[in-house]
Amino acid sequence: MTAPIKDYLKRSNGFQAAKWSEPVVMEMTGTGRRGVVFDDAPAPALPGKAGRKTAPALPELTEHDALRHYLHLSQMCLGMLGVSLFGTCTMKYNPRIGERAALEHLKDLHPLQDAESLQGILELYDNFSDFLCEVSGMYQFVFQAGGGADAAYTHACVTRAYHASRGELQQRDQIITTIQTHPCSPATANTAGFEVITLSLEENGYPSIEQLKSVVGPRTAALMVNNPDDMGIYNPDIKEWVKIVHEAGGLCFYDHANFNGVMSRLRARELGFDACMYMLHKTFGAPKGGGGPAVGAYGCAEHLVPFLPSPLVVKTGEGYVLDEDRPQSIGRVREFWGNAPQVLKAYAWARAMGAEGLREAADISVLSNNYMDHRLGQVKGVSRSNPGIDVPRMEMTRHSVEQVTQDTGCTIFEISNRMTDFGIDALWLSHEPWLVAEPFTPEAGELWSKDDIDYWIDVMEHVIGEAYADAEIVKTAPHNGPIKALTSALDDPAVWATTWRAYERKHLKKVAAE
């Protein structure tokens, strides 16, 4: 254990979240309270029975009531303010200037405006497509997909349209993937009507070329893979893979969910891939999750451009147009042309970084991961996937506390809960299927300092030490948060409520009746 956590534990009893007896905002109403008084809006021309018969029961609050309420909620939740090494998602810092830029430059725009009045944002889309083409070697990017899975589905649809245009769709009904590829690839391939062929991993961490050759053939429509995968392992034979699939007539799709470790180090097109996607909400600094929504930037080589979703932003001699007249297009995969604020934030981040910045970020990401891998290998009870692989992993490595669980009974879930007592965000474990018992997959990326990484590992080492000394303190965690460990109540649909209406039905009316 290093000095920082010793000092931290000596100075305090660990992280203590604020705890307020905060009602939900719908219960805070006070008749006549107002924050902002709006002018009466004209009656909307709603069709048929769409109009309300009674006014909605919205809470009446002052601006200060609302501000204090949400400040209390934020104090009870670390959010992304703790050290968060959330694997596979490259949880970057989202620069606040991106929010300001989106607010200032997009607040007066609407996607239904005439394209002539949208020249600025269309130019930005075109410029960002050019930037990503430079990074990937592809010919054209679109930003319509609502996330990584949506981009994978876009590719499955493009694959279908491409083979249909060649009269081979009935023949080519299989898409090949691997068991460690993101689950969205087999799921979207199946949703688009393809049979999914899943290859298993061998001792070196990736399927063999012989496995691939055994399934490739006249029925092959495409290959969809991550590289590196979520264990951080890069397939050194990927060029040969692409060649084998191409020789059989299939397309190759590169899921860049784990792009952070290879940014500016490789280009998908130069490896032979026909298409790829990036997650702007992760790799390129745009917010994810509650700060989202997401954007999946989908790019392809020239021979697949006719099948891209419509409308396509096209540069003409006089400016930019939204091209809808594209008879081979798969149509829309989402409304309009994608989430403009997210595209703007990601574009701003990419331009600020530049080519050298992306390369440096990739290098720091790989260096941080391999430093973590070395230190975690010295923690009692911690092992890693594919221990026989001695080449440096990319931006993440999958580890396991299986030995800790066998020795103490404490699972990785309980260890994660206990780590939140020290200001660590709950860690990420693994995608399905779980190939590693009691897994965890930290990813430092380029954001976190060596001190942050050391603190994160120190806390894990400390908690594992607690598990061996007094397992109950780990099993009953968290102890310093506003709520305790979740119970089996989440298994009972009569208890939980995800909407205010459900909460009213299940709880408030029940209380009133009593």
Side-chain angles (χ1 to χ4, degrees), residues 131 134-135 263-264 284 346-362:
F131 181 94
E134 185 64 28
V135 170
M263 288 189 300
S264 295
F284 288 88
Y347 177 70
W349 183 87
R351 289 295 302 268
M353 292 290 285
E356 288 302 315
L358 293 181
R359 178 181 290 259
E360 184 178 2

Side-chain angles (χ1 to χ4, degrees), residues 83 85-87 365-379 382 384 394-397 399 440-445 448-450 452-454 456-457:
V83 181
L85 307 186
F86 196 97
S365 176
V366 174
L367 179 65
S368 296
N369 177 62
N370 284 284
Y371 174 72
M372 278 197 305
D373 186 28
H374 174 72
R375 275 212 59 199
L376 285 169
Q378 299 172 340
V379 177
V382 173
R384 68 174 187 166
M394 292 295 184
E395 81 284 11
M396 70 183 82
T397 298
H399 301 272
F440 66 102
T441 318
E443 179 183 7
W448 301 102
S449 68
K450 179 176 178 295
D452 290 326
I453 295 170
D454 279 332
W456 194 96
I457 298 172

Side-chain angles (χ1 to χ4, degrees), residues 32-103:
R33 295 179 182 176
R34 293 287 185 273
V36 177
V37 179
F38 297 98
D39 295 334
D40 290 339
L46 297 175
K49 299 179 180 178
R52 286 179 176 274
K53 294 181 180 178
T54 57
L58 299 176
E60 298 182 55
L61 303 172
T62 66
E63 181 175 321
H64 182 251
D65 291 334
L67 175 63
R68 183 172 53 192
H69 171 67
Y70 288 107
L71 182 60
H72 285 175
L73 295 183
S74 70
Q75 290 171 335
M76 289 195 289
C77 176
L78 257 183
M80 294 301 293
L81 298 180
V83 181
S84 176
L85 307 186
F86 196 97
T88 90
C89 284
T90 317
M91 303 301 283
K92 292 182 184 292
Y93 172 65
N94 306 136
R96 294 301 178 260
I97 195 171
E99 301 295 333
R100 182 177 173 183
L103 181 64

Side-chain angles (χ1 to χ4, degrees), residues 95-130:
R96 294 301 178 260
I97 195 171
E99 301 295 333
R100 182 177 173 183
L103 181 64
E104 289 186 0
H105 296 289
L106 300 181
K107 62 184 174 63
D108 294 327
L109 298 183
H110 192 282
L112 290 180
Q113 288 177 222
D114 190 285
E116 291 184 1
S117 65
L118 294 168
Q119 291 298 297
I121 187 67
L122 297 183
E123 181 179 3
L124 186 149
Y125 268 62
D126 188 60
N127 287 347
F128 200 15
S129 172
D130 289 345

